[in-house]
Amino acid sequence: MNKLLLTLKLLVSPHSTWARLLGGSTSSSESERKLFYPLVFIVALSAVGLLWQEVNLTIGDVVIAAFVQAISFILSLYICVMAISWGLNFAIEKDAFVAPGKVKTFVLYCLAILMLISIVKNLLPAVSVFFDLFPIYLIIPVWQATEFLHIDKEKNAFFVVGATALLIVTPWLVSALFSFFV
C-alpha cells in the first residue's frame, strides 16, 4: 500500500517523490514485487469494466482483453528498461553512472501511473475521454526525474520527450500487436 501511495504522490509532488525513490535505497525488485505485479493483476481484473462499455462483448472477449492488457504492461517493463538504459549512455553527464536498479525503479513507477490510468478507464467509461489524454502528464514526472538520473542539461529535453514517448507508446503498441493476433 505504501508503494501505491508513493505512485499517487508522484503525480502531485514528483521531485520530492523521485528524491525518495531514486535518491534513497529503494529496491527495484521490492517495488516490482509489491507494486508492479499487483497493479498488473488489478488492471487485468478491471477489464471486467469493459462489459459495461460495450454491448456485444462476451466473457471470452473480456478474458482476452485482460490478458492482453496484463502482458502489454509486463513486456513494456522490460522493453522500456532496456531502451532507457541504452539511451542513458548518450544522455547522462560525463563521468556519471546510473545503476540499473534506478532505471528499473524509474520505469516501474512511470508504468504504475499508466496502469492506474488504465484501471480508471476500464471501470469508468464516462471519464475515458479525459483519461485518454492524461498519459501526456507523464512528461512532468519524467522531467523531474532527470536530476536523479544524472541527465546532461543539454540533452534534458531529448531524454524527457524520448522517455515519455517510449513509456506511453510501448504498452499501447504491445497491446495493439497482441490484439491483432488474438
Side-chain angles (χ1 to χ4, degrees), residues 2-136:
N2 186 28
K3 303 283 184 195
L4 183 59
L5 291 175
L6 281 173
T7 304
L8 294 174
K9 188 178 176 193
L10 196 56
L11 293 171
V12 179
S13 177
H15 191 270
S16 64
T17 308
W18 282 130
R20 181 173 176 189
L21 292 170
L22 298 176
S25 61
T26 304
S27 166
S28 63
S29 60
E30 180 184 345
S31 297
E32 187 175 6
R33 192 175 60 252
K34 291 185 177 179
L35 172 72
F36 186 76
Y37 290 119
L39 272 178
V40 167
F41 180 71
I42 294 170
V43 166
L45 285 179
S46 73
V48 172
L50 297 174
L51 287 172
W52 301 316
Q53 296 178 27
E54 295 189 33
V55 179
N56 297 329
L57 280 181
T58 65
I59 298 296
D61 294 333
V62 171
V63 170
I64 290 171
F67 176 76
V68 166
Q69 286 183 7
I71 292 299
S72 70
F73 281 112
I74 292 170
L75 288 177
S76 295
L77 170 65
Y78 297 104
I79 292 169
C80 289
V81 167
M82 287 190 307
I84 289 175
S85 294
W86 177 78
L88 278 176
N89 291 330
F90 305 103
I92 60 173
E93 298 168 340
K94 203 172 208 175
D95 299 327
F97 173 74
V98 179
K102 276 189 178 184
V103 175
K104 192 170 189 179
T105 300
F106 168 72
V107 172
L108 281 169
Y109 279 90
C110 289
L111 287 177
I113 292 170
L114 295 177
M115 284 189 279
L116 290 173
I117 294 168
S118 182
I119 291 167
V120 172
K121 281 174 57 176
N122 285 345
L123 296 176
L124 301 173
V127 297
S128 184
V129 174
F130 171 72
F131 278 93
D132 284 341
L133 299 174
F134 198 72
I136 296 169

